[in-house]
Amino acid sequence: MNTAPTERLSGPADRPLSDEGLGLIEIVVSMLLLAILAIAFVPLLVQGIKASARNTTLATATQLVAERMQLAQAAGPVCANVAALGGVTTVTDPRGVELQVTTTTGLCDASTRLLSVSAAVVRLDTVETITSASTLVYVGG
């Protein structure tokens, strides 16, 4: 006779219930919490995108005004050259916003030693002046 102890195979009914791993309810709850957090950050994201767009337009307008001021300084000391810079041009920024650049100069006469030059940039869709600057250019000798 065989006196060795017999091994008993354990089946699913013999195993104790364990809490190992994540259940479906825990996964759904965690996904719900992540969705709520994502929705909370949407307004912040939208605000950041709008600020970035405004800054792009402002940077372009500032660059355009600075260019006009540099051109006026480079055109001196001949009064007619500086006065020829006056006028209106339309430029489109990298986002597709149309900007109108208006350059205004003073009048040249025999007594003029300093000529006033100003430039302003207006956003055409909102008719808002974004930036402006003015300078005096030496034109007399």
Side-chain angles (χ1 to χ4, degrees):
M1 232 193 200
N2 191 358
T3 59
T6 59
E7 286 188 31
R8 189 170 158 215
L9 296 175
S10 61
D14 295 338
R15 291 189 186 168
L17 295 176
S18 68
D19 290 336
E20 292 180 22
L22 292 176
L24 185 59
I25 293 176
E26 288 89 356
I27 292 173
V28 170
V29 168
S30 64
M31 288 176 59
L32 178 67
L33 291 174
L34 285 174
I36 291 171
L37 283 174
I39 290 171
F41 283 113
V42 167
L44 184 63
L45 179 66
V46 169
Q47 184 180 4
I49 290 171
K50 286 180 181 179
S52 176
R54 279 192 310 271
N55 288 341
T56 300
T57 302
L58 178 61
T60 302
T62 303
Q63 181 181 7
L64 290 169
V65 166
E67 262 178 28
R68 298 295 175 192
M69 296 296 110
Q70 289 174 351
L71 285 173
Q73 293 293 332
V78 179
C79 189
N81 292 347
V82 177
L85 294 174
V88 177
T89 57
T90 302
V91 178
T92 304
D93 80 349
R95 285 188 39 248
V97 175
E98 286 190 341
L99 305 172
Q100 184 179 48
V101 184
T102 305
T103 307
T104 309
T105 61
L107 298 175
C108 293
D109 62 19
S111 66
T112 303
R113 295 211 180 265
L114 295 174
L115 189 64
S116 168
V117 178
S118 62
V121 177
V122 175
R123 185 175 171 156
L124 290 179
D125 58 350
T126 61
V127 194
E128 170 191 6
T129 300
I130 298 173
T131 188
S132 63
S134 61
T135 189
L136 295 173
V137 179
Y138 179 73
V139 293

